[in-house]
Amino acid sequence: RRIRHIEDQCNVLSERLKSIQEIAALTSTPVQMHPMDLNQFLLNFYQNCRPVVELYGLNFWQKITTRPCHISGNPEQLFRALENLLYNATDFTPPEGTIVLSLSRDNAFARIELSDNGYGISKEDVPDIFQRSYTTRSDKDGQGLGLAITRTIVLEHAGTIDVVSREGEGSTFTICLPLT
């Protein structure tokens, strides 16, 4: 039992180290940007992630605009950022809950929203959730690095990320990226 506990702790530390190395790599080397069709990218992301989300007993919907949204971005990193948001939503939304991925645009920006009707985030926690090592998970299994990585990726894409949340009602994370 003690050996299993030590192994578990080593695995947790290993994952933290990997995440810290990812953050260091993200901030130390320039990201390779490519022209991207954000509409198609998000549809592919949705199709790829939908089966996993539905295994949690959740409804996963998409509302992707048909208006073209072209950006300069790194598909792998944007996938990682959205995956972090999506898996947080699955962890904090009870079965039969709903998660919605949407894309809209104005003249200058594409707006990606990931909304859920889960447990929400307390207003006291909202200002700190994008900080490294900050977690709201009561079991403390979380490392508090996912949202910090997501924020770093969004900033590298010259974008912004924000959250609106109400306890007991859910959260909406909004990423704004400049259109090309």
Side-chain angles (χ1 to χ4, degrees), residues 92 135-142:
F92 291 101
T135 184
T136 60
R137 296 178 190 271
S138 59
D139 57 11
K140 298 300 178 196
D141 281 343

Side-chain angles (χ1 to χ4, degrees), residues 98-147:
T98 301
I99 298 171
V100 179
L101 173 68
S102 62
L103 173 65
S104 60
R105 63 164 286 172
D106 60 22
N107 290 332
F109 291 93
R111 185 176 326 285
I112 303 167
E113 290 186 352
L114 193 75
S115 301
D116 65 65
N117 62 350
Y119 304 121
I121 305 165
S122 75
K123 61 183 174 183
E124 293 81 18
D125 285 324
V126 167
D128 298 316
I129 62 171
F130 294 109
Q131 301 303 314
R132 279 186 215 172
S133 301
Y134 190 85
T135 184
T136 60
R137 296 178 190 271
S138 59
D139 57 11
K140 298 300 178 196
D141 281 343
Q143 303 166 21
L145 296 173
L147 291 178

